[in-house]
Amino acid sequence: MAKTGEELFKQMCAACHLDGGNTVNPKKTLHGKTLVTNNITKPEDIVKIMRNPGTGMNKFDEATLPEKDAMAIAEYVLNTFK
């Protein structure tokens, strides 16, 4: 059974991004204004970062997180942490 973006986020991302925050780099939260400031405005932008993250973030390659699941997480982030 496919998991929702919320379920996947809680499983894969919430440890560092609880409530859209960022425990590694508090200046780079998942909240709308911060995302826009960093030119992250669509799901593909988030997936790109998941695939090639900066220092401190785990890399989520296709084997770890299939494209469909990565997009579900990205859409959840954009819709939830406005």
Side-chain angles (χ1 to χ4, degrees), residues 1-81:
M1 183 170 149
K3 292 185 177 182
T4 66
E6 180 180 11
E7 290 170 329
L8 290 163
F9 178 86
K10 287 178 179 177
Q11 176 185 345
M12 308 294 283
C13 313
C16 294
H17 293 288
L18 186 62
D19 296 325
N22 186 328
T23 60
V24 176
N25 185 347
K27 292 182 180 180
K28 291 193 174 184
T29 69
L30 302 180
H31 298 284
K33 289 181 182 178
T34 303
L35 294 178
V36 170
T37 298
N38 289 298
N39 296 313
I40 301 166
T41 59
K42 55 190 184 290
E44 294 82 4
D45 298 334
I46 293 174
V47 173
K48 183 177 178 181
I49 292 169
M50 294 165 92
R51 300 294 189 220
N52 292 295
T55 304
M57 181 172 158
N58 293 335
K59 181 176 183 174
F60 295 95
D61 59 19
E62 182 82 27
T64 305
L65 189 65
E67 191 69 16
K68 180 181 173 189
D69 291 348
M71 287 296 288
I73 290 171
E75 289 169 5
Y76 170 78
V77 167
L78 291 173
N79 291 324
T80 304
F81 305 114

